[in-house]
Amino acid sequence: MEELLVKMEEFKSLHKMFQIEQALPLIAGPCAIENYAQMELVAQNLVKNNVRFIRGGAYKPRTSPYDFQGLGLEGLKILDDIRKKYNLIAISEIMDPRDIETGMKYTDVIQIGSRNMHNYSLLKEVGKTSHPVLLKRGMMSTVNEFLLAAEYIVCNGNKNLILCERGIRSFDSNTRNILDIACICEIKQQTNLPLVVDLSHSLGRKDIILPIVKAVMTMQVDAIMLEIHNDPNHALSDNNQQLSLPEFDVLVRHISS
Ligand code: PEP
Ligand code: MN
């Protein structure tokens, strides 16, 4: 591949965004924002554990149109309130170019999800802003396709880009996706962009997450993304993979030890 803009030296300074004094390199929060009380419990737990990034979907890309689609604008407003109240950095997915303005108003980072990595109109539109964007790897995408999707954002002018590996599809259903750890090294070689690894969507389960979180942390990624919920068994989406708050406490102790 020709030399891409994503390799620019200036991206090296973006990594500072994650180097917050005493904070753990984690981005955590529920799959979907369900109500205010839920987000408040999650935020209090993050603050207690020195985690500064909160995630939560308001617009949910669900496989079935009959499944919970997210609270939409109401969800973003909850997230906005919570980030201000608890001084957190908020990440949420935007799927439609028409929602970018709203996303910029109510989030600190707009997420482009795996299903939309190939949505070039969306990539171009967020590329025309300077709002931070977290771009997830498409579940069927090669590293080169991923980096060219990133290039769409960067070549349109937005240099505030973070990449996120979230696992790719395979024949083996033991885990929801296959976490591609080799791609971490490849992406680091080919770009200077910050890199986050989403373990919840990679694995789709939480019983094997502890050793993996520690392994990935040794690879100098900027942060690990995890789904956590105050009541995972009754979560409106992805209930198998969301850690309960006590389980998250255990994980934090595990990585801090
Ligand atoms: C998410 O992070 O909420 C999500 C839907 O993830 P992905 O796009 O990686 O499937
Ligand atoms: Mn999810």
Side-chain angles (χ1 to χ4, degrees):
M1 211 183 337
E2 69 275 21
E3 188 78 354
L4 295 176
L5 293 173
V6 289
K7 185 78 185 171
M8 285 188 322
E9 287 287 309
E10 69 180 89
F11 289 122
K12 286 186 175 162
S13 62
L14 268 185
H15 297 252
K16 286 201 187 77
M17 181 174 179
F18 295 94
Q19 289 154 10
I20 304 167
E21 217 180 326
Q22 292 187 340
L24 290 175
L26 297 177
I27 299 169
C31 181
I33 299 163
E34 296 172 10
N35 54 61
Y36 195 92
Q38 167 219 25
M39 291 307 285
E40 182 129 68
L41 287 170
V42 167
Q44 285 166 352
N45 190 275
L46 295 181
V47 171
K48 180 184 89 180
N49 283 309
N50 293 324
V51 175
R52 287 289 306 285
F53 287 85
I54 188 166
R55 58 147 288 145
Y59 299 96
K60 294 304 302 175
R62 304 304 303 282
T63 304
S64 166
Y66 305 113
D67 286 340
F68 177 58
Q69 302 287 305
L71 296 180
L73 180 58
E74 185 195 340
L76 284 184
K77 287 184 176 168
I78 293 174
L79 186 63
D80 182 39
D81 256 33
I82 292 288
R83 70 170 167 159
K84 288 175 180 151
K85 185 165 174 188
Y86 292 96
N87 190 27
L88 293 167
I89 301 165
I91 303 185
S92 197
E93 176 163 358
I94 293 297
M95 299 195 288
D96 187 324
R98 290 169 297 187
D99 294 323
I100 292 173
E101 280 293 319
T102 323
M104 286 166 58
K105 183 165 174 207
Y106 296 119
T107 73
D108 299 290
V109 180
I110 287 179
Q111 174 171 313
I112 306 233
S114 187
R115 289 156 192 80
N116 273 308
M117 189 208 86
H118 288 290
N119 183 342
Y120 298 115
S121 337
L122 184 61
L123 301 180
K124 284 180 192 166
E125 285 308 310
V126 292
K128 290 178 196 156
T129 77
S130 56
H131 198 74
V133 173
L134 180 140
L135 175 68
K136 288 188 152 198
R137 178 178 180 182
M139 60 186 82
M140 306 275 276
S141 303
T142 64
V143 170
N144 285 353
E145 287 165 343
F146 186 26
L147 299 187
L148 286 168
E151 194 72 7
Y152 263 95
I153 297 175
V154 169
C155 79
N156 274 282
N158 192 346
K159 306 285 192 296
N160 292 314
L161 183 58
I162 303 152
L163 298 179
C164 179
E165 156 64 10
R166 48 78 75 204
I168 45 175
R169 277 205 166 156
S170 94
F171 52 86
D172 190 340
S173 57
N174 277 298
T175 53
R176 184 173 175 179
N177 291 290
I178 298 291
L179 170 65
D180 179 7
I181 56 167
C183 94
I184 298 173
C185 304
E186 185 62 34
I187 290 168
K188 279 167 169 283
Q189 253 181 29
Q190 291 201 41
T191 85
N192 280 311
L193 292 167
L195 180 61
V196 168
V197 177
D198 173 348
L199 288 186
S200 295
H201 292 91
S202 294
L203 304 177
R205 52 194 268 200
K206 50 190 179 178
D207 56 320
I208 56 172
I209 211 162
L210 286 186
I212 298 175
V213 93
K214 254 197 158 157
V216 172
M217 273 183 151
T218 64
M219 301 187 75
Q220 274 98 47
V221 297
D222 291 271
I224 287 175
M225 182 181 275
L226 298 164
E227 286 187 338
I228 68 172
H229 193 286
N230 54 307
D231 185 7
N233 292 335
H234 295 103
L236 299 179
S237 54
D238 283 351
N239 45 3
N240 289 333
Q241 69 194 35
Q242 303 203 59
L243 294 160
S244 68
L245 303 184
E247 284 167 345
F248 184 63
D249 290 344
V250 170
L251 181 140
V252 166
R253 279 203 295 278
H254 179 75
I255 59 178
S256 311
S257 66

